[in-house]
C-alpha cells in the first residue's frame, strides 16, 4: 500500500533550521506532485508549499517564502522541506501529501511530524 513517512521534526530555537523528509513507497513517485502542509493547535491545516512531479516547479505560501525550500529526489522517492530562519509561529505538525491530478486534490497523506520553535 501507499505510504508517506515524514521525519526530521523536532525542537529548535527561533532563527534555527530544520530539514524535513518525506519518504514515499507503494506509488509511482515521479507521477505525483508533493505538497507540504502544517497544522498548529486549534488552527486549520494550511498549505506550506508544493513541488511538481519533476521538481521543476515549486509554490510557497507567502508566510514561508524566502525561508523554506522544497526539493525532491525521485531516485530516492523522497521530498525535502528545508526550513531556515524558523519562527515560533512555524510551530505545527507538518504533513506531506501526494497528488497526481494537479488540481490540488491530494490522494495520500503522511502521519505528520512535529516541529516546535522556541522563542
Amino acid at each position: 500500500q501507499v505510504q508517506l513517512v515524514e521525519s526530521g521534526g523536532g525542537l529548535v530555537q527561533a532563527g534555527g533550521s530544520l530539514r524535513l523528509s518525506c519518504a514515499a513507497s507503494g506509488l509511482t513517485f515521479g507521477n505525483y506532485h508533493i505538497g507540504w502542509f502544517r497544522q498548529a493547535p486549534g488552527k486549520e491545516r494550511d498549505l506550506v508549499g508544493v513541488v511538481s512531479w519533476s521538481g521543476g516547479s515549486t509554490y510557497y505560501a507567502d508566510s514561508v517564502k524566502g525561508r523554506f525550500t522544497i526539493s525532491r529526489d525521485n531516485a530516492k522517492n523522497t521530498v525535502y522541506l528545508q526550513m531556515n530562519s524558523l519562527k515560533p509561529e512555524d510551530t505545527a505538525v507538518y504533513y506531506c501529501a501526494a497528488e497526481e491530478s494537479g488540481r490540488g486534490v491530494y490522494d495520500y497523506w503522511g502521519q505528520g511530524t512535529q516541529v516546535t520553535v522556541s522563542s
Side-chain angles (χ1 to χ4, degrees), residues 7 18 32 34 53 103-104:
S7 62
L18 281 175
Y32 287 81
I34 303 296
W53 63 270
R103 295 192 298 269

Side-chain angles (χ1 to χ4, degrees), residues 12-89:
V12 64
Q13 287 189 332
S17 298
L18 281 175
R19 188 177 81 156
L20 306 185
S21 298
C22 170
S25 60
L27 75 171
T28 305
F29 187 68
N31 288 354
Y32 287 81
H33 310 297
I34 303 296
W36 282 99
F37 295 78
R38 66 185 182 186
Q39 187 167 23
K43 295 188 177 181
E44 294 187 351
R45 185 168 56 195
D46 291 328
L47 177 66
V48 173
V50 182
V51 61
S52 64
W53 63 270
S54 67
S57 178
T58 53
Y59 163 84
Y60 298 98
D62 286 344
S63 58
V64 305
K65 202 172 294 183
R67 299 188 298 124
F68 290 11
T69 303
I70 301 175
S71 60
R72 68 189 292 161
D73 185 339
N74 284 352
K76 295 182 178 180
N77 284 10
T78 302
V79 172
Y80 305 98
L81 177 64
Q82 177 67 45
M83 306 186 293
N84 298 329
S85 302
L86 283 161
K87 305 175 181 180
E89 52 263 44

